Amino acid sequence: MSVRIRGKAKTWGIPKGCKIVWDGKDWYASITVDCVPERQTGNNALGLDFGGKTAIATSNGGFVKAPRFQTQAQEKVNLLSKKLGRKQQPVKGKSQASRRWKKYQGKIRRVKRIEANRRCDWSHQVAAQMVSSNRLVATEKLNLKGMTRKGKRQKTGLNRSIVDVAIGKTKDGIKYKVEEANGVYLETPTRQLKPTPPCAKRWETKPKTWSDRVHHCQGCGHSEDRDINAAQAILIGARGRNCPLQT
Ligand SMILES: [Zn+2]
């Protein structure tokens, strides 16, 4: 028997394994191939600040928003769970689940699976984009617990734990892809950036409050979006403050 597949592997190789998954409605096949991956990259360097106002801020002034589908999926799951609660659930040793209960259980699994797939795709795409022109990528040593603690920074109403998972995955993907392209992945020691990242221009540290969206340095007058400044400070910190490559 043969089946048609959608899409194509970036780099094909010798198939080593195949995992078949049933999600309650559709079948999926995940094929593992043994290959030598090829990845192109440029000669630039990029610093990344995770979990600020947007999911990622970059040292060259860019922002990546957290994907909206995460909250949409959560809303769907909440709605389906409510409906599930009204169906007859299984009681151990007494009664079996009703057909409707099973149906809703399946729907919930499916929504979660689709969301997980999309999040995984998103992480890969973002990571690939970051690596595509940067041979050196620097991030902050991530402390997800710490991020939740300073959760005040994120006021988008997103479920923190979901965002943390997406960020963690993206970071792993970036490290993996940079190294695949023979680039360098660095993490800035957190102590250089806490409690508040220094000014990326002259490396002064001035206390700021979390509500300050803009970094305005009292020392040198440098003004920048606070997350962008953090991303720049992360890049400087990762290279070492006295690195002659600093611009
Ligand atoms: Zn300054």
Side-chain angles (χ1 to χ4, degrees):
M1 194 187 82
S2 65
V3 253
R4 286 165 62 96
I5 61 164
R6 202 165 44 120
K8 104 180 201 262
K10 200 173 159 284
T11 320
W12 189 244
I14 305 153
K16 287 287 171 193
C18 180
K19 205 169 118 195
I20 309 286
V21 188
W22 166 250
D23 80 339
K25 193 181 175 199
D26 291 321
W27 289 97
Y28 293 88
S30 164
I31 300 162
T32 312
V33 296
D34 196 5
C35 65
V36 183
E38 289 165 30
R39 188 170 292 282
Q40 300 295 321
T41 185
N43 281 319
N44 301 324
L46 192 69
L48 304 173
D49 178 51
F50 285 84
K53 192 179 176 228
T54 56
I56 310 170
T58 68
S59 58
N60 57 9
F63 294 102
V64 181
K65 276 189 198 162
R68 172 90 183 100
F69 55 76
Q70 296 180 132
T71 25
Q72 286 167 343
Q74 191 57 50
E75 281 161 16
K76 265 189 202 168
V77 167
N78 291 347
L79 194 75
L80 289 168
S81 301
K82 239 185 210 173
K83 288 184 175 169
L84 180 77
R86 292 199 285 266
K87 313 295 174 214
Q88 191 195 317
Q89 55 178 336
V91 181
K92 216 177 177 185
K94 275 187 180 171
S95 60
Q96 292 202 327
S98 69
R99 282 186 57 179
R100 284 193 181 128
W101 190 89
K102 284 183 187 161
K103 192 177 124 188
Y104 277 94
Q105 189 79 315
K107 280 187 180 186
I108 292 173
R109 256 208 310 272
R110 188 173 157 77
V111 171
K112 283 186 179 170
R113 179 166 183 86
I114 290 172
E115 197 273 333
N117 284 345
R118 290 175 77 182
R119 189 173 59 210
C120 188
D121 280 352
W122 181 85
S123 292
H124 274 295
Q125 278 168 22
V126 170
Q129 193 203 330
M130 298 296 176
V131 175
S132 65
S133 58
N134 300 289
R135 189 167 292 279
L136 186 152
V137 181
T139 69
E140 179 184 359
K141 206 167 179 56
L142 206 58
N143 172 4
L144 292 178
K145 262 189 199 157
M147 288 189 60
T148 315
R149 187 164 42 75
K150 69 178 184 189
K152 276 181 217 152
R153 287 181 72 183
Q154 181 115 0
K155 286 185 178 166
T156 52
L158 285 172
N159 181 331
R160 285 300 316 169
S161 63
I162 300 176
V163 174
D164 284 355
V165 169
I167 288 172
K169 274 205 167 204
T170 309
K171 205 163 167 267
D172 292 346
I174 289 169
K175 180 178 192 296
Y176 171 80
K177 285 176 174 34
V178 170
E179 286 169 358
E180 197 176 78
N182 291 318
V184 181
Y185 174 85
L186 295 171
E187 286 186 353
T188 310
T190 304
R191 65 187 152 72
Q192 289 199 13
L193 306 163
K194 294 284 157 66
T196 172
C199 171
K201 206 148 205 179
R202 297 269 180 81
W203 209 260
E204 297 106 326
T205 311
K206 292 267 171 188
K208 282 187 242 88
T209 56
W210 289 126
S211 60
D212 274 344
R213 290 307 325 153
V214 179
H215 159 91
H216 181 75
C217 181
Q218 305 285 325
C220 72
H222 178 59
S223 271
E224 185 60 274
D225 176 276
R226 61 166 297 159
D227 296 336
I228 300 288
N229 179 73
Q232 291 167 346
I234 283 166
L235 181 57
I236 296 169
R239 280 171 153 174
R241 266 186 66 193
N242 299 318
C243 174
L245 290 171
Q246 308 292 359
T247 45

